[in-house]
């Protein structure tokens, strides 16, 4: 990370003088060529576009600054310089430590800008450090403007110009912070979904794939019951293709509806080998602002060849199913008929029907297809305990 070595080498002494922060940096490093670099505050491997550096540089140029730096600090990490132009490493290190001192007492409320005299011994200059309003959960960000001539009259002129220009710059930083937070959430959600053994596909309102986790991608790449065709999900079996298309159309028609949809399609998609894929659907609710961008649908694909017991047992426990009732439910959810399930459990068909009736009572289901739909709906929602058994 830029300036990390300089931060370790620099000897910085800070003191307060009439409300301003003074920093003296020992050492005289060679002046480097101007550069613009940027790394994400959280992860060096995640690069963010240079637009933030362009905005900061334009703001600095407008105010007549000779150099600038964008610094950041974090509650659990060292301060760092994110982007700079016209600065050497020691000056960037000093500015990062200035940010650290200011951040220590401001919490989520940005304090007033502060002038820092003699920031570096490289050249006599002062820095105007402007804290950016901090977003909860995000590091503090600071815009640092360097001026070689900063007497009282010049400072007043810079401050007046800053008050005029800063609102538009601050609005950009709010959008930048929101975009970084949204990006981090998206990466986290996608990472979590890629760990799920169930295939998950998010469809946009026009039926195209907006996101597919690794399990779903693997199924589509192998043409294992489903495939991707022109950005859409299709069944590989011709007989199932029409049914899947109709089901997707039905669910998309329900997306964004004000009321909840009681029943969603549940399909078994045939494959060349192995039991059919169990496919469940969920319509996207209307977005909070009432526009149409929330329209879409979620598709869930479960390969019964997986350990369905491991996936379904937590849900069965929520409904207080006994061991044999859980076994029966898992067999039915994996695509077995009731007769085949009875044979697997080594019980008579009538006994299996009796167990199934008890399962219906405990889960509030009336039909076998409703039971399977309920199980797979709860596979996705079990961790939030949205469906607790009713007494």
């Amino acid at each position: 990370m830029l300036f990390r070595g300089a931060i370790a080498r620099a000897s910085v002494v800070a003191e307060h003088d009439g409300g301003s922060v003074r920093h003296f940096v020992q050492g005289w490093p060679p002046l480097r060529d101007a550069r613009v670099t940027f790394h994400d505050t959280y992860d060096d491997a995640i690069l963010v576009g240079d637009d933030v550096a362009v905005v900061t540089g334009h703001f600095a140029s407008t105010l007549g600054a000779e150099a600038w730096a964008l610094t950041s600090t974090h509650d659990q990490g060292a301060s760092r310089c994110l982007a700079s132009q016209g600065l050497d490493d020691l000056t960037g290190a000093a500015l990062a430590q200035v940010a650290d001192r200011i951040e220590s007492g401001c919490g989520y409320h940005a304090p007033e800008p502060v002038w820092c005299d003699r920031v570096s011994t490289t050249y006599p200059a002062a820095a105007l450090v402007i804290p950016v309003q901090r977003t909860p959960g995000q590091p503090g960000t600071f815009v640092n403007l360097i001026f070689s001539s900063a007497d009282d009259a010049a400072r007043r002129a810079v401050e007046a110009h800053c008050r005029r220009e800063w609102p538009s710059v601050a609005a950009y930083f709010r959008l930048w912070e929101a975009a970084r937070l949204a990006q981090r959430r998206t990466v986290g959600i996608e990472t979590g979904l890629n760990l799920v053994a169930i295939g998950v596909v998010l469809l946009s309102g026009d039926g195209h794939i907006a996101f597919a986790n690794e399990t779903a991608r693997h199924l589509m790449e192998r043409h294992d019951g489903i495939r991707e065709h022109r950005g859409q999900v299709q069944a590989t079996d011709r007989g199932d293709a029409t049914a899947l298309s109709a089901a997707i159309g039905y669910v998309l028609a329900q997306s964004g509806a004000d009321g909840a949809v009681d029943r969603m399609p549940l399909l078994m998609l045939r494959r060349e080998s192995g039991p059919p894929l169990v496919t469940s659907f969920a319509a996207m609710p209307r977005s909070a602002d009432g526009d149409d961008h929330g329209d879409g649908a979620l598709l869930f694909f479960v390969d019964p060849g997986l350990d369905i017991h491991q996936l379904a047992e937590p849900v069965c426990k929520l409904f207080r199913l006994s061991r044999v009732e859980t076994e029966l439910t898992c067999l039915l959810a994996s695509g077995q008929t009731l007769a085949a399930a009875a044979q697997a459990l080594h019980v008579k068909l009538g006994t299996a029907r009796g167990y199934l009736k008890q399962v219906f009572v405990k889960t509030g289901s009336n039909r076998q297809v409703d039971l399977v739909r309920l199980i797979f709906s709860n596979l996705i929602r079990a961790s939030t305990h949205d469906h607790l058994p009713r007494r």
Side-chain angles (χ1 to χ4, degrees), residues 1-42:
M1 173 59 69
L2 193 63
F3 302 126
R4 180 174 294 165
I7 291 175
R9 296 191 305 269
S11 175
V12 182
V13 180
E15 64 179 25
H16 292 275
D17 182 10
S20 65
V21 181
R22 297 179 182 273
H23 281 255
F24 302 89
V25 183
Q26 306 299 325
W28 193 277
L31 189 63
R32 306 284 182 85
D33 292 335
R35 94 293 303 272
V36 176
T37 58
F38 186 81
H39 293 275
D40 184 82
T41 305
Y42 291 102

Side-chain angles (χ1 to χ4, degrees), residues 122-391:
T122 304
Y123 48 84
L128 178 60
V129 182
I130 308 172
V132 177
Q133 183 66 47
R134 180 171 178 175
T135 302
Q138 294 286 85
T141 306
F142 301 84
V143 175
N144 305 266
L145 308 180
I146 308 298
F147 301 88
S148 60
S149 176
D151 55 24
D152 290 342
R155 292 188 183 190
R156 286 194 295 270
V158 168
E159 291 169 2
H161 201 170
C162 180
R163 283 191 292 269
R164 292 194 299 269
E165 299 293 334
W166 180 251
S168 59
V169 178
Y172 168 81
F173 272 103
R174 284 194 296 271
L175 293 175
W176 177 61
E177 293 280 1
R180 285 206 301 169
L181 186 58
Q183 179 192 35
R184 190 157 180 81
R185 287 173 176 169
T186 299
V187 171
I189 291 171
E190 290 183 0
T191 301
L193 289 175
N194 284 331
L195 298 175
V196 176
I198 298 174
V200 182
V201 177
L202 172 63
L203 299 181
S204 60
D206 60 0
H208 286 80
I209 299 172
F211 168 78
N213 70 345
E214 290 184 0
T215 301
R217 287 288 178 191
H218 187 58
L219 291 171
M220 288 188 288
E221 289 171 1
R222 295 188 307 169
H223 287 204
D224 194 8
I226 56 174
R227 66 169 184 163
E228 179 179 353
H229 180 66
R230 296 181 178 178
Q232 297 180 319
V233 180
Q234 287 188 347
T236 55
D237 182 85
R238 291 186 178 182
D240 294 336
T242 302
L244 178 61
S245 178
I248 291 175
Y250 170 76
V251 176
L252 289 176
Q254 305 300 318
S255 65
D258 294 328
V261 181
D262 294 333
R263 294 186 178 182
M264 287 295 174
L266 184 73
L267 296 178
M268 300 290 187
L269 302 180
R270 287 174 288 237
R271 301 186 290 177
E272 290 185 1
S273 61
L277 284 179
V278 180
T279 308
S280 183
F281 306 78
M284 295 292 289
R286 183 180 297 277
S287 58
D289 54 10
D291 60 22
D292 295 332
H293 297 297
D295 292 355
L298 283 167
L299 277 61
F300 306 103
F301 302 95
V302 180
D303 183 358
L306 299 174
D307 187 358
I308 193 67
H309 292 74
Q310 183 179 0
L311 296 173
E313 278 185 358
V315 179
C316 293
K317 288 180 179 179
L318 290 176
F319 291 98
R320 306 294 194 271
L321 300 187
S322 67
R323 183 188 62 80
V324 67
E325 291 167 351
T326 297
E327 290 291 329
L328 176 63
T329 301
C330 291
L331 290 170
L332 296 177
S334 66
Q336 298 281 352
T337 64
L338 184 59
Q343 184 176 3
L345 292 174
H346 304 290
V347 297
K348 295 181 179 180
L349 181 59
T351 304
R353 287 197 180 97
Y355 290 143
L356 182 58
K357 289 180 181 179
Q358 291 299 317
V359 172
F360 285 159
V361 171
K362 292 181 179 181
T363 60
S365 304
N366 296 317
R367 298 183 305 165
Q368 185 173 324
V369 66
D370 293 334
L371 172 63
V372 176
R373 181 183 293 110
L374 179 65
I375 292 299
F376 281 103
S377 296
N378 280 275
L379 283 179
I380 307 301
R381 308 175 64 178
S383 60
T384 60
H385 300 283
D386 286 341
H387 287 275
L388 292 175
R390 297 180 180 179
R391 290 291 187 183

